[in-house]
Amino acid sequence: MEDDRRAKLDRLRADGVEPFPHDFDGVVAIAEVHAAHAELEAGEETDAAYRLAGRLAARRGHGKAAFLDLIDRSGRIQLHARFDVLGDESFELLTSLDLGDLIGVDGTVFKSRRGELSLRLDDFKLLAKSLRPPPEKFHGLEDTETRYRRRELDLIANEDARELFVLRSRVVAAVRRYLDREGFLEVETPVLQPLYGGAAARPFTTHHNQLDRDLYLRIATELYLKRLIVGGLERVYELGKNFRNEGVSHKHNPEFTVLEWYEAYADYEDAAARLEELVACVAGEIGYAGAIDFTPPWRRVTLREAIEEAIGVDILFTRDPQALVDAARARGIEDLDPTETWARLVDELLSKHVEPALERPTFILDYPEELSPFAKAHRAAPSEDRLVERFECFAGGIEIANAFSELNDPDEQRARFEAQARELAAGDEEAHPYDEDFVRALEHGMPPTGGLGLGIDRLVMLLSGRRSIREVVLFPAMR
């Protein structure tokens, strides 16, 4: 098959046809043609001329006439080619092209007697010779591994895949529009960082030859963005890639897209209200019609209440790991490791026994201090509970967002870092390293601030009805 295509390539060049020209100006989207002529009656002709371009997806010949299907990002249209209009050579060239070849066409719109919108060709031009056949002859690419590893084939073969990534682009654009409208500034912070921070995760490490030092791919944008709040920018956001050296699953990819925003003079309740508003706004803009109701207000429940509802254990009755393991075992939960820290055990109970059941949007509020080194102490909870003003937001059985009333007391932040440093020294690879530059920034004064991180990949999963992050990332990490 490929040999035949290469032989055709050689013949094209021998006949003076350039199989890979430089450009084809003036192209409009196929969807625009459909929109402009939606009311055309079957059999009706027009003199409306268009220039289209795309990939040949099907061909049906009838002697001196041929029908071909052309697809672009926006849709599909039927082409009608006639021998007496194009001439002998052009008609023969067109009908000898392979499926998958890219062509540009000029013609006028009509609707066939069967009611299919079509373009009657006046001229065409080969734009790129396809040297490999399209997958499944455009009937679909079903092998999951191939779809993820060779996303270009998935996009060629599956209209659903093309629509999904157009949707993703629209979601990102809608998120930006909302924040820009609310007075936030989009900023950029370093991806290569001398000290990773802002989350509990293992980093990817690289080496800068000129500086002769190790650097880290960022695991979060948090600490740099809060330094901008210190600097007086007051409302900032960054939408970009983070990198975490962790496992791959239906909801984890080591390279992922996240939105973080920080808002001066706000707290975690303000962040929750803004998240509700943003997601509802984005869902409305893209025409979301799925099963999840994103209409505010969303359910709110404390972490303590959520775990007690799910398994009947009060996590705050003791901070002793063995006691928590024993309480869980008494209720049939046998897979907790008593050598883990109490905070890790609480997090595991949340992720395994609460999170999967949270289909409708839900805020889980008020976390232990040990799980939240950058959140302010809870203003209303008893001091002995050592809770902070933090929430995680869940929907569709996955976490989509994390937010704090941001800790802005430099002395308290220093103490939290020191506690994390002890855990790091004890072998906890996900503990947060001490960041003196950040503490020094806080010493200049950071106003009360609400900050939030929203997983864009997971948001797209929810809004598209997908259950795997690999579906919504163009080129996911593969084993």
Side-chain angles (χ1 to χ4, degrees), residues 55-352:
R55 197 178 292 272
L56 277 179
R59 182 176 56 241
R60 304 167 293 282
H62 300 284
K64 301 295 185 179
F67 290 90
L68 309 97
D69 287 349
L70 186 75
I71 61 170
D72 68 5
R73 187 183 78 189
S74 70
R76 176 185 296 249
I77 195 169
Q78 177 175 263
L79 308 178
H80 182 215
R82 289 171 39 180
F83 176 89
D84 58 340
V85 174
L86 295 179
D88 188 9
E89 286 188 23
S90 289
F91 184 81
E92 183 179 347
L93 173 59
L94 178 63
T95 54
S96 70
L97 293 178
D98 293 306
L99 298 186
D101 286 351
L102 288 150
I103 63 170
V105 299
D106 293 288
T108 54
V109 170
F110 73 100
K111 186 162 278 190
S112 70
R113 287 192 296 274
R114 294 183 177 181
E116 183 169 1
L117 193 71
S118 307
L119 194 75
R120 197 181 308 282
L121 296 192
D122 299 319
D123 198 8
F124 82 95
K125 183 177 183 178
L126 177 64
L127 300 181
K129 178 64 187 167
S130 173
L131 299 179
R132 293 180 182 270
E136 299 283 322
K137 296 185 178 180
F138 291 83
H139 294 155
L141 183 66
E142 296 181 357
D143 181 74
T144 301
E145 287 287 312
T146 303
R147 289 181 54 232
Y148 297 159
R149 292 184 188 277
R150 301 292 307 280
R151 185 65 82 180
E152 67 278 11
L153 300 184
D154 185 29
L155 295 170
I156 287 173
N158 297 324
E159 183 179 357
D160 182 60
R162 293 194 298 275
E163 290 177 351
L164 170 60
F165 288 103
V166 170
L167 173 69
R168 179 185 173 113
S169 180
R170 292 176 59 210
V171 167
V172 171
V175 166
R176 280 195 165 100
R177 277 194 298 272
Y178 171 86
L179 291 169
D180 292 344
R181 198 164 57 236
E182 292 295 308
F184 284 78
L185 300 176
E186 183 172 11
V187 297
E188 294 179 338
T189 61
V191 173
L192 282 175
Q193 300 180 347
L195 188 67
Y196 62 93
R202 287 178 294 174
F204 289 95
T205 307
T206 187
H207 188 78
H208 193 292
N209 292 333
Q210 183 67 34
L211 297 178
D212 192 24
R213 67 181 299 184
D214 286 343
L215 296 172
Y216 305 95
L217 293 178
R218 70 185 181 198
I219 61 173
T221 56
E222 177 172 346
L223 302 190
Y224 282 96
L225 290 174
K226 287 198 283 194
R227 287 162 69 175
L228 301 182
I229 297 294
V230 171
L233 294 188
E234 295 182 348
R235 289 187 180 187
V236 294
Y237 76 92
E238 184 164 9
L239 204 163
K241 294 285 191 181
N242 286 347
F243 307 84
R244 297 182 184 177
N245 201 346
E246 58 188 15
V248 175
S249 74
H250 75 283
K251 60 181 181 179
H252 292 102
N253 195 60
E255 174 184 356
F256 59 99
T257 303
V258 67
L259 162 72
E260 286 199 41
W261 81 62
Y262 292 86
E263 180 176 4
Y265 316 114
D267 64 8
Y268 78 142
E269 289 285 1
D270 298 310
R274 189 175 292 287
L275 178 65
E276 290 174 326
E277 187 176 283
L278 181 147
V279 174
C281 177
V282 172
E285 281 199 34
I286 67 167
Y288 173 76
I292 299 175
D293 183 4
F294 291 108
T295 306
W298 299 348
R299 180 181 179 230
R300 286 161 167 77
V301 60
T302 69
L303 176 62
R304 182 183 196 175
E305 293 167 341
I307 292 178
E308 192 160 14
E309 285 175 8
I311 65 170
V313 171
D314 180 358
I315 59 171
L316 296 184
F317 78 97
T318 177
R319 273 177 158 77
D320 176 65
Q322 186 63 59
L324 183 57
V325 169
D326 291 343
R329 283 176 178 167
R331 288 156 180 81
I333 297 170
E334 302 286 347
D335 57 349
L336 294 182
D337 181 356
T339 65
E340 290 281 10
T341 65
W342 174 85
R344 285 285 185 84
L345 294 172
V346 169
D347 193 51
E348 187 172 345
L349 289 173
L350 170 64
S351 63
K352 289 185 177 180

Side-chain angles (χ1 to χ4, degrees), residues 451-463:
L452 180 139
L454 171 65
I456 295 298
D457 306 316
R458 293 183 182 182
L459 178 62
V460 175
M461 286 171 62
L462 292 182
L463 294 176

Side-chain angles (χ1 to χ4, degrees), residues 28-38 50 52 77 109 117-119:
V28 301
I30 288 173
E32 292 184 28
V33 180
H34 280 282
H37 300 280
Y50 291 93
L52 308 177
I77 195 169
V109 170
L117 193 71
S118 307
L119 194 75

Side-chain angles (χ1 to χ4, degrees), residues 400-454:
I400 62 169
N402 183 28
F404 310 145
S405 296
E406 301 294 338
L407 180 59
N408 59 345
D409 179 338
D411 294 333
E412 176 63 19
Q413 183 64 78
R414 180 178 286 106
R416 302 262 190 102
F417 274 147
E418 289 169 349
Q420 288 285 303
R422 288 191 293 272
E423 292 187 18
L424 189 63
D428 185 350
E429 294 182 336
E430 295 187 358
H432 202 290
Y434 191 103
D435 190 334
E436 182 60 38
D437 284 345
F438 179 65
V439 174
R440 186 182 299 114
L442 288 184
E443 289 175 337
H444 287 281
M446 186 176 84
T449 297
L452 180 139
L454 171 65

